[in-house]
Amino acid sequence: MPDARGHFGPYGGRFVSETLSFALEELEKTYQSLRDDPDFQAEFDYDLAHYVGRPSPLYHAERWSRVLGGAQIWLKREDLNHTGAHKVNNTIGQALLAKKSGKPRVIAETGAGQHGVATATVAARLGLECDVYMGAADVERQKLNVYRMHLLGARVIPVESGTRTLKDAMNEALRDWVTNVDDTFYIIGTVAGPHPYPLLVRDFNAVVGREARKQSLEQIGRLPDALIACVGGGSNAMGLFYPFVEDDEVAMYGVEAGGDGVETGRHAAPLSSNAPRGVLHGNRTYLMSDESGQVSDTHSISAGLDYPGVGPEHALWKDVGRVHYVSANDDKVLEAFRELTHMEGIMPALESAHALAHAKVLAPSMRPDQHLVVNLSGRGDKDIMTVAKLDGVEF
Amino acid sequence: MNRIDQRFTELKSQGRKALIPYITAGDPAPAHTVGFMHALVEAGADIIELGVPFSDPMADGPVIQKACERALKNGTTLAHLFDMVREFRQADATTPVVLMGYLNPVERIGYEAFADKAQEAGVDGVLTVDMPPEEADEFGPILKERGLASIFLVAPTTSNTRAATICAHGEGYLYYVSLKGVTGAATLNAADVAKRLAPLRDITSLPLCVGFGIRDGATAAEVAKVADGVIVGSALVNRIAENADTPETIPGQLTAVLAEMRHAMDALSS
C-alpha cells in the first residue's frame, strides 16, 4: 500500500496545480469510503461478471509452447473482455465512482483507443456525457477505435501539441479537468497520475491477477514459474502482478516498448533504459527526459505503450528488484504478433505482442515442466490497419 | 530582507498595488528576454515572473503552451535562464524576479543545484506550479536557506483548511488563481475574487496577488481594488506571439499593455 499521501517509496504523490487538489481529496474520500464496502464490491463484481464477461479464461497455448520448445505458455485472455481489453475493468470501477460522485460528465485520455473505447462504453451505459482526448498521431493510426468511440456517442478530441501522442492527450485531459472540475469525473486509464489514481486503478485491475492465481492452482496445480505483461503506464501488468507480489517463487517480467531499440533513443522504455527520475502528470516516477528536464519524445509501434513515464508502483518494484523490466523492439513485436495469430488463431493487440515477444525469449530457456503466464491484455482488431500498412495492403 | 518583501513594504507605504507581469523566458528566443524584462520594469512592473519553459505545461492554456514551444525550439535551457537573470541584475539590482514553472526541470538538475544557481544569479522567489506544500518538505527548506521565497497558489476550489496549510508554507506573496481553468481562460469575476480573498486576509499577512483572466487596464483596476497585486501573463505573451517574427517591436508592445494597467491601477490610489 502507498503511504497516506500516495507515495510508493520515493515515487507517486500528488503533484498537481492547486485547483485539482480539492477534486483529488474528494475522490480519495469517496474511494476510501467504498473500498471496503461490500455493496460497492458486489456491484463491481456483478458488472465484471455480467457486463464484461469475467472471469476471462487462462488458455494453454499448447501448439506455440511446443514450437518454442520450452516452458508451457498460458495466456490470460483479457482480449475476450467486452470492448476487447483489460481497460474495461478499471473503467467499470471508475464509472461506479463517477456515479457515486454525482458527476454528469466523464473525460479520458487514450493512446491506442482501448481506454477511450472502454470509457465511451461505460458512459453510454450510464448515460454520461463523454469526451476523450487523443493525440493527433494516434487518431491517425487508430481510426477504427476513433470511429467506435463516435458510434458510442463520445466526442474524440485530437490533441495537436507536443508529440501528438498519449502524454499530450493526458496534458489536455488535465486542462479540461481543471476547467470543469465541478461536474466532470476524470477516468484515468493507467496506474499513473496523482494519488489516489495509481491505487484505485491497481485495485480495479487486480481482478486479472486474482483470477490468474486461482486458475493456475486449478489448471496447473500450482503457481506459475513466471508472469509476463507489457508495460506502458503499466495497468495490465499491475493487474496481473499485484496479487502475486508476495509469492517469491513467481518471477515477473514487465516488457516495455523498445521501439527501434533502447540504444537508438527511439523507444518508450523508461525503466529498462534507465531513465532518470522525474515528475509528470501528478506523480514522481522514472521518466524519459533530457538534461534540462524536458520530457523526451517517445516511439513505439503501439500507441498504447507510447508514453515516457510509468506508474509509480512499477518504479518501486524496479528499485527493489521484484519485477524484471525488459524491452521488446518493434520488429520482434510484429514477429510475435504474426506467430500467435498463425499458431493459435488468436490475434493479439500490438501492446500484448510485446509480452509475447518476451515469452519467445524466455520460454526456450525454461523446461517443459515449467509454466509461463502471459497477459494477453487486448485483442488486435484495432491494429489491423497498422499491420496491413506494413504489409502494403490497402482497403 | 528579500527583495520581494522589500518591494511590498515600499508599495504599502505608497498606497500602491503591485503589478506583476509574467513572460516565458526564451520566448521567442533567449537573446530577447533580458531586453523584455527591462521594458516591463520601465512600464511599471514591480516584480517579474519569469516562466521556465517546459515541454508539458499542464496548468497553462494554449498561449503559454505555445510560448514554451517557441522557447524550447529556440534552444532555451535552465542554464540560459540563470544567465538572463544574472544579466538583468547588472542593470537592475532592485526589481524582484520570481521563477515560475514545473517541477521536472528542477528535479532533473537537483534541488540543491537549482537553488544555488538561482540564488547566485539573483533570483528572489520560486513558484512551482505542480508542487503543492505537502510535497515541498525537501525543496522548501533548501530554498529558505538561500533566502529564496517559496510562492504557492491558492485556487477557488481550495478549502479553508488547505488554505491555512498553504499560507503557513508560503513566503513572498500568495498567488490567488482567480478562475477554475488554465492560464489565459475566460474573464474573471472581481466580486467572486473579493469574496474569496476576504477569509484569506484573516489567516495570513502575506500579500495577496491575483492572476488568471487579467487582460486590460479595466480588469487590472477591478482586481487591484481588492488585492495587493495583479499578475498578468497571457495578455503579454499574446503580444509576443503576434510579433515573434519582428522581435524588435515587442518591447514597445509589452510596454503599451503594461502601462495601461499601471495607469488604471494607480488611478485608484490617487
Side-chain angles (χ1 to χ4, degrees), chain A residues 45-98:
Chain A
D45 291 344
Y46 181 91
D47 281 356
L48 289 183
H50 301 284
Y51 190 67
V52 176
R54 303 205 69 93
S56 68
L58 184 67
Y59 166 74
H60 187 192
E62 276 187 88
R63 183 160 175 246
W64 199 40
S65 302
R66 214 162 41 238
V67 169
L68 291 178
Q72 302 306 310
I73 297 174
W74 299 76
L75 305 176
K76 180 60 178 162
R77 299 290 308 274
E78 292 300 293
D79 61 314
L80 294 179
N81 291 341
H82 180 48
T83 75
H86 74 287
K87 293 285 186 187
V88 72
N89 304 319
N90 168 51
T91 51
I92 292 277
Q94 289 198 48
L96 288 176
L97 291 178

Short mmCIF file of all heavy atoms in Angstrom, two decimals, chain A residues 45-98:
data_model
loop_
_atom_site.label_atom_id
_atom_site.label_comp_id
_atom_site.label_asym_id
_atom_site.label_seq_id
_atom_site.Cartn_x
_atom_site.Cartn_y
_atom_site.Cartn_z
N ASP A 45 -18.39 -6.45 -8.84
CA ASP A 45 -18.25 -7.85 -9.24
C ASP A 45 -19.37 -8.28 -10.19
O ASP A 45 -19.14 -9.03 -11.14
CB ASP A 45 -18.25 -8.77 -8.01
CG ASP A 45 -16.99 -8.60 -7.18
OD1 ASP A 45 -16.01 -8.01 -7.70
OD2 ASP A 45 -16.97 -9.02 -6.01
N TYR A 46 -20.58 -7.79 -9.93
CA TYR A 46 -21.71 -8.13 -10.79
C TYR A 46 -21.45 -7.62 -12.21
O TYR A 46 -21.63 -8.35 -13.19
CB TYR A 46 -23.01 -7.53 -10.23
CG TYR A 46 -24.22 -7.87 -11.07
CD1 TYR A 46 -24.98 -9.01 -10.80
CD2 TYR A 46 -24.58 -7.08 -12.17
CE1 TYR A 46 -26.08 -9.35 -11.59
CE2 TYR A 46 -25.68 -7.41 -12.96
CZ TYR A 46 -26.43 -8.55 -12.66
OH TYR A 46 -27.49 -8.88 -13.45
N ASP A 47 -21.01 -6.37 -12.31
CA ASP A 47 -20.73 -5.79 -13.63
C ASP A 47 -19.61 -6.54 -14.34
O ASP A 47 -19.65 -6.77 -15.54
CB ASP A 47 -20.35 -4.31 -13.49
CG ASP A 47 -21.58 -3.43 -13.29
OD1 ASP A 47 -22.70 -3.97 -13.34
OD2 ASP A 47 -21.40 -2.21 -13.10
N LEU A 48 -18.58 -6.91 -13.58
CA LEU A 48 -17.47 -7.65 -14.19
C LEU A 48 -17.95 -8.99 -14.74
O LEU A 48 -17.56 -9.40 -15.83
CB LEU A 48 -16.34 -7.88 -13.18
CG LEU A 48 -15.53 -6.65 -12.76
CD1 LEU A 48 -14.40 -7.05 -11.80
CD2 LEU A 48 -14.92 -5.92 -13.96
N ALA A 49 -18.84 -9.65 -14.01
CA ALA A 49 -19.32 -10.95 -14.45
C ALA A 49 -20.29 -10.82 -15.63
O ALA A 49 -20.14 -11.52 -16.64
CB ALA A 49 -20.01 -11.67 -13.29
N HIS A 50 -21.26 -9.93 -15.52
CA HIS A 50 -22.37 -9.94 -16.48
C HIS A 50 -22.25 -8.92 -17.60
O HIS A 50 -22.92 -9.04 -18.62
CB HIS A 50 -23.70 -9.76 -15.73
CG HIS A 50 -23.92 -10.83 -14.72
ND1 HIS A 50 -24.31 -12.10 -15.06
CD2 HIS A 50 -23.76 -10.83 -13.37
CE1 HIS A 50 -24.40 -12.85 -13.97
NE2 HIS A 50 -24.07 -12.10 -12.93
N TYR A 51 -21.41 -7.92 -17.41
CA TYR A 51 -21.24 -6.94 -18.49
C TYR A 51 -19.92 -7.14 -19.21
O TYR A 51 -19.84 -7.10 -20.43
CB TYR A 51 -21.32 -5.52 -17.90
CG TYR A 51 -21.41 -4.42 -18.94
CD1 TYR A 51 -22.54 -4.30 -19.76
CD2 TYR A 51 -20.37 -3.51 -19.11
CE1 TYR A 51 -22.62 -3.30 -20.72
CE2 TYR A 51 -20.45 -2.51 -20.07
CZ TYR A 51 -21.58 -2.41 -20.87
OH TYR A 51 -21.66 -1.42 -21.81
N VAL A 52 -18.87 -7.40 -18.42
CA VAL A 52 -17.53 -7.59 -19.01
C VAL A 52 -17.34 -9.02 -19.50
O VAL A 52 -16.66 -9.26 -20.50
CB VAL A 52 -16.44 -7.23 -17.97
CG1 VAL A 52 -15.05 -7.50 -18.53
CG2 VAL A 52 -16.57 -5.76 -17.55
N GLY A 53 -17.97 -9.97 -18.78
CA GLY A 53 -17.81 -11.38 -19.17
C GLY A 53 -16.71 -12.11 -18.42
O GLY A 53 -16.07 -13.01 -18.96
N ARG A 54 -16.46 -11.71 -17.20
CA ARG A 54 -15.41 -12.35 -16.41
C ARG A 54 -15.95 -13.61 -15.73
O ARG A 54 -17.14 -13.72 -15.54
CB ARG A 54 -14.89 -11.37 -15.35
CG ARG A 54 -14.35 -10.06 -15.93
CD ARG A 54 -13.34 -9.45 -15.01
NE ARG A 54 -12.14 -10.26 -14.99
CZ ARG A 54 -11.10 -10.05 -15.78
NH1 ARG A 54 -11.07 -9.06 -16.60
NH2 ARG A 54 -10.06 -10.86 -15.72
N PRO A 55 -15.09 -14.52 -15.30
CA PRO A 55 -13.64 -14.49 -15.44
C PRO A 55 -13.21 -14.75 -16.88
O PRO A 55 -13.86 -15.49 -17.61
CB PRO A 55 -13.17 -15.62 -14.52
CG PRO A 55 -14.33 -16.56 -14.43
CD PRO A 55 -15.55 -15.71 -14.53
N SER A 56 -12.10 -14.15 -17.24
CA SER A 56 -11.54 -14.45 -18.57
C SER A 56 -10.74 -15.76 -18.44
O SER A 56 -10.17 -16.04 -17.39
CB SER A 56 -10.63 -13.31 -19.02
OG SER A 56 -9.47 -13.24 -18.23
N PRO A 57 -10.72 -16.57 -19.50
CA PRO A 57 -10.05 -17.87 -19.40
C PRO A 57 -8.53 -17.75 -19.25
O PRO A 57 -7.94 -16.74 -19.65
CB PRO A 57 -10.38 -18.55 -20.75
CG PRO A 57 -11.43 -17.73 -21.39
CD PRO A 57 -11.35 -16.36 -20.81
N LEU A 58 -7.95 -18.79 -18.67
CA LEU A 58 -6.49 -18.97 -18.74
C LEU A 58 -6.27 -20.09 -19.75
O LEU A 58 -6.64 -21.25 -19.51
CB LEU A 58 -5.93 -19.36 -17.37
CG LEU A 58 -4.41 -19.49 -17.30
CD1 LEU A 58 -3.73 -18.13 -17.47
CD2 LEU A 58 -3.97 -20.12 -15.97
N TYR A 59 -5.73 -19.73 -20.89
CA TYR A 59 -5.68 -20.66 -22.03
C TYR A 59 -4.27 -21.21 -22.23
O TYR A 59 -3.30 -20.44 -22.25
CB TYR A 59 -6.14 -19.92 -23.29
CG TYR A 59 -5.83 -20.63 -24.58
CD1 TYR A 59 -6.55 -21.76 -24.98
CD2 TYR A 59 -4.81 -20.18 -25.42
CE1 TYR A 59 -6.26 -22.42 -26.17
CE2 TYR A 59 -4.51 -20.82 -26.61
CZ TYR A 59 -5.24 -21.95 -26.97
OH TYR A 59 -4.94 -22.59 -28.15
N HIS A 60 -4.17 -22.52 -22.37
CA HIS A 60 -2.87 -23.17 -22.60
C HIS A 60 -2.54 -23.15 -24.09
O HIS A 60 -3.18 -23.82 -24.89
CB HIS A 60 -2.94 -24.62 -22.09
CG HIS A 60 -1.61 -25.30 -22.14
ND1 HIS A 60 -1.48 -26.65 -21.97
CD2 HIS A 60 -0.35 -24.83 -22.32
CE1 HIS A 60 -0.19 -26.99 -22.06
NE2 HIS A 60 0.50 -25.89 -22.28
N ALA A 61 -1.56 -22.35 -24.48
CA ALA A 61 -1.17 -22.26 -25.89
C ALA A 61 -0.22 -23.42 -26.19
O ALA A 61 1.00 -23.26 -26.28
CB ALA A 61 -0.51 -20.91 -26.17
N GLU A 62 -0.81 -24.59 -26.36
CA GLU A 62 -0.01 -25.82 -26.46
C GLU A 62 0.86 -25.86 -27.70
O GLU A 62 2.03 -26.23 -27.66
CB GLU A 62 -0.95 -27.03 -26.49
CG GLU A 62 -1.38 -27.48 -25.11
CD GLU A 62 -2.18 -28.77 -25.19
OE1 GLU A 62 -1.57 -29.86 -25.15
OE2 GLU A 62 -3.41 -28.66 -25.31
N ARG A 63 0.26 -25.46 -28.82
CA ARG A 63 0.99 -25.58 -30.08
C ARG A 63 2.18 -24.64 -30.09
O ARG A 63 3.30 -25.01 -30.47
CB ARG A 63 0.03 -25.28 -31.24
CG ARG A 63 0.68 -25.45 -32.59
CD ARG A 63 -0.34 -25.62 -33.71
NE ARG A 63 0.38 -25.67 -34.97
CZ ARG A 63 0.29 -24.75 -35.91
NH1 ARG A 63 -0.52 -23.73 -35.77
NH2 ARG A 63 1.01 -24.85 -37.01
N TRP A 64 1.95 -23.41 -29.67
CA TRP A 64 3.03 -22.41 -29.65
C TRP A 64 4.12 -22.83 -28.66
O TRP A 64 5.31 -22.71 -28.94
CB TRP A 64 2.47 -21.03 -29.30
CG TRP A 64 3.37 -19.89 -29.70
CD1 TRP A 64 4.11 -19.79 -30.85
CD2 TRP A 64 3.65 -18.70 -28.94
NE1 TRP A 64 4.81 -18.61 -30.86
CE2 TRP A 64 4.54 -17.91 -29.71
CE3 TRP A 64 3.21 -18.21 -27.72
CZ2 TRP A 64 5.02 -16.67 -29.27
CZ3 TRP A 64 3.67 -16.98 -27.29
CH2 TRP A 64 4.57 -16.22 -28.05
N SER A 65 3.70 -23.37 -27.50
CA SER A 65 4.66 -23.84 -26.49
C SER A 65 5.56 -24.92 -27.09
O SER A 65 6.77 -24.91 -26.90
CB SER A 65 3.93 -24.44 -25.28
OG SER A 65 3.06 -23.49 -24.70
N ARG A 66 4.94 -25.84 -27.83
CA ARG A 66 5.68 -26.95 -28.42
C ARG A 66 6.70 -26.42 -29.42
O ARG A 66 7.85 -26.84 -29.45
CB ARG A 66 4.70 -27.92 -29.10
CG ARG A 66 5.13 -29.37 -29.01
CD ARG A 66 4.00 -30.36 -29.27
NE ARG A 66 3.09 -30.00 -30.35
CZ ARG A 66 1.77 -29.85 -30.20
NH1 ARG A 66 1.20 -30.04 -29.03
NH2 ARG A 66 1.01 -29.51 -31.24
N VAL A 67 6.27 -25.48 -30.25
CA VAL A 67 7.15 -24.91 -31.27
C VAL A 67 8.34 -24.18 -30.63
O VAL A 67 9.48 -24.30 -31.08
CB VAL A 67 6.37 -23.95 -32.20
CG1 VAL A 67 7.31 -23.15 -33.10
CG2 VAL A 67 5.38 -24.74 -33.05
N LEU A 68 8.06 -23.45 -29.56
CA LEU A 68 9.15 -22.72 -28.90
C LEU A 68 10.08 -23.67 -28.15
O LEU A 68 11.24 -23.35 -27.88
CB LEU A 68 8.59 -21.66 -27.95
CG LEU A 68 7.89 -20.46 -28.62
CD1 LEU A 68 7.33 -19.51 -27.57
CD2 LEU A 68 8.83 -19.72 -29.55
N GLY A 69 9.55 -24.82 -27.76
CA GLY A 69 10.40 -25.86 -27.18
C GLY A 69 10.93 -25.53 -25.80
O GLY A 69 12.13 -25.69 -25.53
N GLY A 70 10.06 -25.09 -24.93
CA GLY A 70 10.48 -24.81 -23.55
C GLY A 70 9.28 -24.85 -22.64
O GLY A 70 8.50 -25.80 -22.69
N ALA A 71 9.14 -23.80 -21.86
CA ALA A 71 8.07 -23.74 -20.86
C ALA A 71 6.69 -23.81 -21.52
O ALA A 71 6.52 -23.47 -22.70
CB ALA A 71 8.18 -22.45 -20.06
N GLN A 72 5.70 -24.25 -20.73
CA GLN A 72 4.30 -24.22 -21.16
C GLN A 72 3.80 -22.77 -21.06
O GLN A 72 3.93 -22.15 -20.00
CB GLN A 72 3.44 -25.12 -20.27
CG GLN A 72 3.91 -26.57 -20.27
CD GLN A 72 4.02 -27.13 -21.68
OE1 GLN A 72 3.09 -27.02 -22.48
NE2 GLN A 72 5.17 -27.71 -22.00
N ILE A 73 3.24 -22.28 -22.17
CA ILE A 73 2.77 -20.90 -22.17
C ILE A 73 1.26 -20.85 -21.99
O ILE A 73 0.51 -21.54 -22.70
CB ILE A 73 3.17 -20.18 -23.48
CG1 ILE A 73 4.71 -20.14 -23.57
CG2 ILE A 73 2.60 -18.76 -23.53
CD1 ILE A 73 5.22 -19.60 -24.88
N TRP A 74 0.84 -20.06 -21.03
CA TRP A 74 -0.58 -19.86 -20.76
C TRP A 74 -0.93 -18.40 -21.04
O TRP A 74 -0.16 -17.51 -20.69
CB TRP A 74 -0.90 -20.20 -19.30
CG TRP A 74 -0.61 -21.62 -18.93
CD1 TRP A 74 0.62 -22.17 -18.69
CD2 TRP A 74 -1.56 -22.67 -18.77
NE1 TRP A 74 0.50 -23.51 -18.39
CE2 TRP A 74 -0.83 -23.84 -18.43
CE3 TRP A 74 -2.95 -22.75 -18.88
CZ2 TRP A 74 -1.46 -25.07 -18.20
CZ3 TRP A 74 -3.57 -23.98 -18.64
CH2 TRP A 74 -2.83 -25.13 -18.31
N LEU A 75 -2.06 -18.19 -21.64
CA LEU A 75 -2.48 -16.82 -21.96
C LEU A 75 -3.67 -16.42 -21.11
O LEU A 75 -4.70 -17.12 -21.11
CB LEU A 75 -2.86 -16.70 -23.44
CG LEU A 75 -1.80 -17.14 -24.45
CD1 LEU A 75 -2.36 -17.05 -25.87
CD2 LEU A 75 -0.53 -16.31 -24.32
N LYS A 76 -3.53 -15.32 -20.37
CA LYS A 76 -4.68 -14.79 -19.63
C LYS A 76 -5.45 -13.93 -20.62
O LYS A 76 -4.97 -12.89 -21.08
CB LYS A 76 -4.17 -13.99 -18.42
CG LYS A 76 -5.27 -13.39 -17.57
CD LYS A 76 -6.22 -14.44 -16.98
CE LYS A 76 -7.28 -13.77 -16.09
NZ LYS A 76 -8.44 -14.67 -15.87
N ARG A 77 -6.68 -14.39 -20.94
CA ARG A 77 -7.40 -13.87 -22.10
C ARG A 77 -8.19 -12.60 -21.82
O ARG A 77 -9.42 -12.58 -21.96
CB ARG A 77 -8.31 -14.98 -22.65
CG ARG A 77 -7.58 -16.24 -23.13
CD ARG A 77 -6.77 -16.02 -24.40
NE ARG A 77 -7.53 -15.41 -25.48
CZ ARG A 77 -8.28 -16.08 -26.36
NH1 ARG A 77 -8.37 -17.38 -26.30
NH2 ARG A 77 -8.93 -15.43 -27.32
N GLU A 78 -7.50 -11.51 -21.49
CA GLU A 78 -8.19 -10.23 -21.32
C GLU A 78 -8.75 -9.71 -22.65
O GLU A 78 -9.60 -8.81 -22.68
CB GLU A 78 -7.26 -9.20 -20.69
CG GLU A 78 -6.88 -9.48 -19.25
CD GLU A 78 -8.09 -9.52 -18.33
OE1 GLU A 78 -8.73 -8.48 -18.15
OE2 GLU A 78 -8.41 -10.62 -17.82
N ASP A 79 -8.25 -10.28 -23.75
CA ASP A 79 -8.76 -9.89 -25.07
C ASP A 79 -10.22 -10.29 -25.25
O ASP A 79 -10.91 -9.77 -26.13
CB ASP A 79 -7.90 -10.51 -26.18
CG ASP A 79 -7.90 -12.04 -26.12
OD1 ASP A 79 -7.74 -12.59 -25.01
OD2 ASP A 79 -8.07 -12.67 -27.18
N LEU A 80 -10.67 -11.25 -24.43
CA LEU A 80 -12.07 -11.70 -24.56
C LEU A 80 -13.05 -10.84 -23.78
O LEU A 80 -14.26 -11.03 -23.87
CB LEU A 80 -12.19 -13.16 -24.11
CG LEU A 80 -11.44 -14.15 -25.01
CD1 LEU A 80 -11.59 -15.57 -24.48
CD2 LEU A 80 -11.96 -14.07 -26.45
N ASN A 81 -12.54 -9.89 -23.01
CA ASN A 81 -13.45 -8.97 -22.29
C ASN A 81 -14.30 -8.16 -23.27
O ASN A 81 -13.85 -7.85 -24.37
CB ASN A 81 -12.65 -7.95 -21.47
CG ASN A 81 -11.93 -8.57 -20.30
OD1 ASN A 81 -12.27 -9.66 -19.86
ND2 ASN A 81 -10.94 -7.87 -19.79
N HIS A 82 -15.46 -7.74 -22.80
CA HIS A 82 -16.23 -6.74 -23.52
C HIS A 82 -15.33 -5.54 -23.81
O HIS A 82 -14.60 -5.11 -22.93
CB HIS A 82 -17.44 -6.33 -22.66
CG HIS A 82 -18.31 -5.31 -23.32
ND1 HIS A 82 -18.74 -5.43 -24.62
CD2 HIS A 82 -18.83 -4.15 -22.85
CE1 HIS A 82 -19.49 -4.38 -24.93
NE2 HIS A 82 -19.55 -3.58 -23.88
N THR A 83 -15.38 -5.01 -25.01
CA THR A 83 -14.56 -3.93 -25.56
C THR A 83 -13.13 -4.37 -25.91
O THR A 83 -12.37 -3.59 -26.44
CB THR A 83 -14.49 -2.64 -24.70
OG1 THR A 83 -13.63 -2.85 -23.57
CG2 THR A 83 -15.86 -2.18 -24.24
N GLY A 84 -12.77 -5.61 -25.57
CA GLY A 84 -11.54 -6.16 -26.14
C GLY A 84 -10.24 -5.93 -25.42
O GLY A 84 -9.18 -6.16 -26.01
N ALA A 85 -10.28 -5.49 -24.18
CA ALA A 85 -9.02 -5.32 -23.45
C ALA A 85 -9.27 -5.26 -21.95
O ALA A 85 -10.42 -5.13 -21.50
CB ALA A 85 -8.30 -4.06 -23.91
N HIS A 86 -8.17 -5.32 -21.19
CA HIS A 86 -8.26 -5.23 -19.73
C HIS A 86 -8.78 -3.87 -19.27
O HIS A 86 -9.22 -3.73 -18.15
CB HIS A 86 -6.88 -5.46 -19.11
CG HIS A 86 -5.96 -4.30 -19.30
ND1 HIS A 86 -5.39 -3.99 -20.51
CD2 HIS A 86 -5.57 -3.32 -18.45
CE1 HIS A 86 -4.68 -2.90 -20.39
NE2 HIS A 86 -4.76 -2.46 -19.15
N LYS A 87 -8.70 -2.87 -20.14
CA LYS A 87 -9.03 -1.49 -19.76
C LYS A 87 -10.43 -1.37 -19.16
O LYS A 87 -10.69 -0.48 -18.35
CB LYS A 87 -8.93 -0.57 -20.98
CG LYS A 87 -7.52 -0.39 -21.51
CD LYS A 87 -6.70 0.50 -20.62
CE LYS A 87 -5.33 0.80 -21.22
NZ LYS A 87 -4.47 1.55 -20.28
N VAL A 88 -11.33 -2.26 -19.58
CA VAL A 88 -12.72 -2.13 -19.16
C VAL A 88 -12.89 -2.40 -17.66
O VAL A 88 -13.78 -1.86 -17.02
CB VAL A 88 -13.64 -3.05 -20.01
CG1 VAL A 88 -13.43 -4.52 -19.65
CG2 VAL A 88 -15.10 -2.64 -19.91
N ASN A 89 -12.01 -3.22 -17.06
CA ASN A 89 -12.12 -3.49 -15.62
C ASN A 89 -12.08 -2.19 -14.83
O ASN A 89 -12.88 -1.94 -13.94
CB ASN A 89 -10.97 -4.38 -15.14
CG ASN A 89 -10.87 -5.68 -15.93
OD1 ASN A 89 -11.89 -6.28 -16.23
ND2 ASN A 89 -9.65 -6.08 -16.27
N ASN A 90 -11.09 -1.37 -15.18
CA ASN A 90 -10.88 -0.11 -14.49
C ASN A 90 -11.98 0.90 -14.78
O ASN A 90 -12.44 1.61 -13.88
CB ASN A 90 -9.51 0.43 -14.88
CG ASN A 90 -9.30 1.87 -14.44
OD1 ASN A 90 -9.51 2.20 -13.28
ND2 ASN A 90 -8.88 2.72 -15.37
N THR A 91 -12.41 0.96 -16.04
CA THR A 91 -13.44 1.97 -16.35
C THR A 91 -14.77 1.63 -15.69
O THR A 91 -15.51 2.52 -15.30
CB THR A 91 -13.65 2.16 -17.87
OG1 THR A 91 -13.86 0.90 -18.46
CG2 THR A 91 -12.45 2.82 -18.51
N ILE A 92 -15.06 0.33 -15.55
CA ILE A 92 -16.27 -0.06 -14.81
C ILE A 92 -16.17 0.45 -13.38
O ILE A 92 -17.10 1.06 -12.84
CB ILE A 92 -16.44 -1.61 -14.81
CG1 ILE A 92 -16.75 -2.13 -16.22
CG2 ILE A 92 -17.49 -2.04 -13.80
CD1 ILE A 92 -18.20 -2.03 -16.62
N GLY A 93 -15.01 0.22 -12.77
CA GLY A 93 -14.81 0.67 -11.39
C GLY A 93 -14.93 2.17 -11.25
O GLY A 93 -15.64 2.68 -10.37
N GLN A 94 -14.24 2.90 -12.14
CA GLN A 94 -14.27 4.36 -12.03
C GLN A 94 -15.63 4.94 -12.40
O GLN A 94 -16.04 5.97 -11.87
CB GLN A 94 -13.16 4.99 -12.87
CG GLN A 94 -11.77 4.75 -12.28
CD GLN A 94 -10.73 5.72 -12.84
OE1 GLN A 94 -10.94 6.92 -12.89
NE2 GLN A 94 -9.60 5.17 -13.26
N ALA A 95 -16.34 4.26 -13.32
CA ALA A 95 -17.68 4.73 -13.66
C ALA A 95 -18.59 4.63 -12.44
O ALA A 95 -19.43 5.50 -12.21
CB ALA A 95 -18.24 3.92 -14.82
N LEU A 96 -18.42 3.57 -11.65
CA LEU A 96 -19.20 3.44 -10.42
C LEU A 96 -18.87 4.60 -9.47
O LEU A 96 -19.76 5.17 -8.84
CB LEU A 96 -18.93 2.10 -9.73
CG LEU A 96 -19.51 0.86 -10.40
CD1 LEU A 96 -19.09 -0.41 -9.67
CD2 LEU A 96 -21.04 0.94 -10.44
N LEU A 97 -17.58 4.95 -9.40
CA LEU A 97 -17.18 6.08 -8.55
C LEU A 97 -17.79 7.39 -9.09
O LEU A 97 -18.26 8.23 -8.31
CB LEU A 97 -15.66 6.22 -8.50
CG LEU A 97 -14.88 5.12 -7.76
CD1 LEU A 97 -13.38 5.40 -7.84
CD2 LEU A 97 -15.32 5.05 -6.31
N ALA A 98 -17.80 7.54 -10.40
CA ALA A 98 -18.38 8.75 -11.00
C ALA A 98 -19.86 8.85 -10.64
O ALA A 98 -20.36 9.91 -10.30
CB ALA A 98 -18.19 8.74 -12.52
#
